[in-house]
Amino acid sequence: MTISVSSRIKLAVKREDREATIIRVGDTLVGGEKIAVIAGPCSVESREQLMEAARSVKSAGASMLRGGAFKPRTLPYSFQGLGVEGLEILAEAREETGLPIVTEVISPADVEIVESYADVLQVGARNMQNYPLLRRVGRADKPVLLKRGLSSTIEEWLGAAEYVMDGGNGDVILCERGIRTFERLTRFTLDLAAVPLLKEVSHLPVVVDPSHGTGHRSLVAPMARAAVAAGADGLLIEVHPRPEEAKSDGAQSLKPGEFRSMMEGLGPVAQAVGRIL
Ligand code: PEP
Ligand code: MN
């Protein structure tokens, strides 16, 4: 090992006697040979919008459906999500498509209701250091998708994973979603070196979110290919049936046809690095 992290991080780090963690979500495995593709809109906006998104990502080969019902928006005036109504719509989409649901929880008080609907609990970048929330999802019996904080180091991120695992929930999926740098033409700077680095120091599965990581629809497919080439176990991709009407993150959301093309382009890359899509 050429890179080492603080010896105070115990549970999230690789050890000779610990296998790579593979997390089962319904019929999907995260961390196995197959690349897990989590796709769907930024926010659940309506039943029609979500069902349309769910059907399109399912038919293009996604393995899980995403959609935010509780949204951590930068301004209080922005759309905050449909809340429990959004969770009900997600559950209906799971019923129809069979896709497991990944959705964000932003408050410890909401974990109980969100985990009663979700298959995977997403902890967003803005909450990566919300320690009461990390402790609460650490007591949940659903896997946690832990996004990297906007300005967090990899050690701080592993420290956050440690909180979840210390609570008894070892099913943590790390999600690289870009960090703040001086660059302004992209929304964030997608740190793809984090992928092989994490593979070197941690046993946890790693997924990459090139949607938030770039902020631009045109950059999503190239960075998704790069993420798979770098060894990512999965991808998180925002897809909206009509991005121009999206209530959040339209500029970075793929249209259904673009998502399908992205999936087609990923197959050969996955194969080149010994994975399947
Ligand atoms: C999201 O996934 O829509 C989201 C809010 O992501 P992040 O926490 O990475 O900004
Ligand atoms: Mn979003």
Side-chain angles (χ1 to χ4, degrees):
M1 217 193 271
T2 58
I3 301 170
S4 58
V5 296
S6 164
S7 60
R8 301 182 66 216
I9 305 175
K10 304 265 184 239
L11 303 171
V13 291
K14 208 173 209 172
R15 269 196 344 227
E16 301 244 308
D17 59 344
R18 191 150 47 199
E19 303 269 298
T21 294
I22 299 181
I23 297 174
R24 173 174 287 282
V25 186
D27 295 336
T28 301
L29 298 179
V30 186
E33 189 184 12
K34 188 170 155 60
I35 307 288
V37 181
I38 305 164
C42 180
S43 305
V44 180
E45 298 168 4
S46 69
R47 192 176 169 277
E48 294 63 36
Q49 171 249 15
L50 199 265
M51 295 312 263
E52 220 177 313
R55 288 177 193 129
S56 70
V57 301
K58 164 85 183 181
S59 77
S63 33
M64 290 187 236
L65 176 67
R66 64 149 285 145
F70 294 88
K71 295 301 300 177
R73 302 306 300 281
T74 300
L75 286 174
Y77 320 114
S78 304
F79 177 60
Q80 304 284 309
L82 295 179
V84 177
E85 187 191 343
L87 298 176
E88 278 167 5
I89 295 170
L90 285 164
E92 197 180 325
R94 170 178 53 208
E95 190 67 32
E96 187 189 303
T97 61
L99 294 174
I101 301 301
V102 181
T103 196
E104 181 162 357
V105 59
I106 60 178
S107 152
D110 296 334
V111 173
E112 192 174 344
I113 183 83
V114 176
E115 74 169 326
S116 73
Y117 289 92
D119 298 288
V120 175
L121 300 169
Q122 177 173 324
V123 172
R126 289 158 190 79
N127 276 313
M128 191 208 85
Q129 288 177 310
N130 180 339
Y131 297 113
L133 180 62
L134 296 174
R135 286 212 187 274
R136 178 63 188 82
V137 298
R139 287 189 278 110
D141 62 3
K142 296 283 165 71
V144 173
L145 182 105
L146 179 63
K147 293 191 122 190
R148 182 177 184 177
L150 314 182
S151 300
S152 297
T153 66
I154 292 173
E155 279 192 324
E156 288 163 342
W157 187 15
L158 290 171
E162 199 82 5
Y163 265 85
V164 179
M165 300 175 85
D166 183 53
N169 188 351
D171 287 348
V172 177
I173 303 164
L174 299 169
C175 178
E176 164 60 42
R177 49 79 70 215
I179 50 175
R180 276 269 151 78
T181 67
F182 51 80
E183 183 53 60
R184 294 272 68 92
L185 290 182
T186 46
R187 187 178 177 194
F188 294 96
T189 296
L190 189 64
D191 180 12
L192 284 185
V195 177
L197 192 154
L198 285 166
K199 291 285 161 195
E200 197 168 315
V201 302
S202 175
H203 58 92
L204 296 172
V206 182
V207 313
V208 171
D209 170 359
S211 305
H212 295 86
T214 65
H216 298 285
R217 183 179 307 132
S218 61
L219 305 182
V220 171
M223 295 314 280
R225 292 195 292 271
V228 170
D233 298 300
L235 295 165
L236 186 144
I237 308 286
E238 287 191 338
V239 180
H240 194 292
R242 284 167 297 282
E244 59 289 353
E245 292 171 18
K247 292 193 172 156
S248 58
D249 290 350
Q252 66 194 34
S253 299
L254 299 185
K255 297 171 191 168
E258 294 169 330
F259 178 68
R260 182 175 292 277
S261 311
M262 183 205 84
M263 292 294 279
E264 285 163 6
L266 281 174
V269 181
Q271 201 183 359
V273 292
R275 307 294 286 264
I276 53 176
L277 193 65

